[in-house]
Amino acid sequence: KKTVKLAPQISTKILLLQAGKDKIVQNSRQNSFCSRVPQCQIVLFPSSYHGILTEKDDIRIKALARLKNFLGI
């Protein structure tokens, strides 16, 4: 709750890779947090579980491409 309250003060750009089938993290809480951060972008991977970067190649490759684009590399 405290983090969500302080979210509007965050000035760092955030790329949030969100797993559609995550059973560890609640996407609704991530959405709430990200909606309050001025420069937060959510990328949803609907068929992914918690470990997006350890998923099947097709998911991992897309996630890595989004990360590289975000980082400008």
Side-chain angles (χ1 to χ4, degrees):
K1 292 179 184 181
K2 185 176 180 181
T3 305
V4 172
K5 237 182 202 181
L6 296 174
Q9 298 174 27
I10 297 172
S11 60
T12 304
K13 290 183 181 181
I14 296 174
L15 177 66
L16 196 156
L17 303 178
Q18 190 176 70
K21 295 182 178 180
D22 202 324
K23 295 184 192 263
I24 297 171
V25 177
Q26 294 179 358
N27 288 352
S28 61
R29 291 188 180 215
Q30 289 180 337
N31 294 340
S32 178
F33 169 78
C34 202
S35 71
R36 289 169 171 79
V37 176
Q39 297 186 70
C40 184
Q41 177 186 359
I42 295 177
V43 179
L44 176 64
F45 293 88
S47 61
S48 179
Y49 292 92
H50 186 73
I52 293 172
L53 297 178
T54 59
E55 280 283 357
K56 298 178 279 181
D57 284 347
D58 62 320
I59 294 171
R60 186 175 55 251
I61 289 167
K62 289 175 186 172
L64 288 171
R66 293 303 293 258
L67 281 170
K68 288 170 110 176
N69 184 58
F70 179 77
L71 296 172
I73 55 174

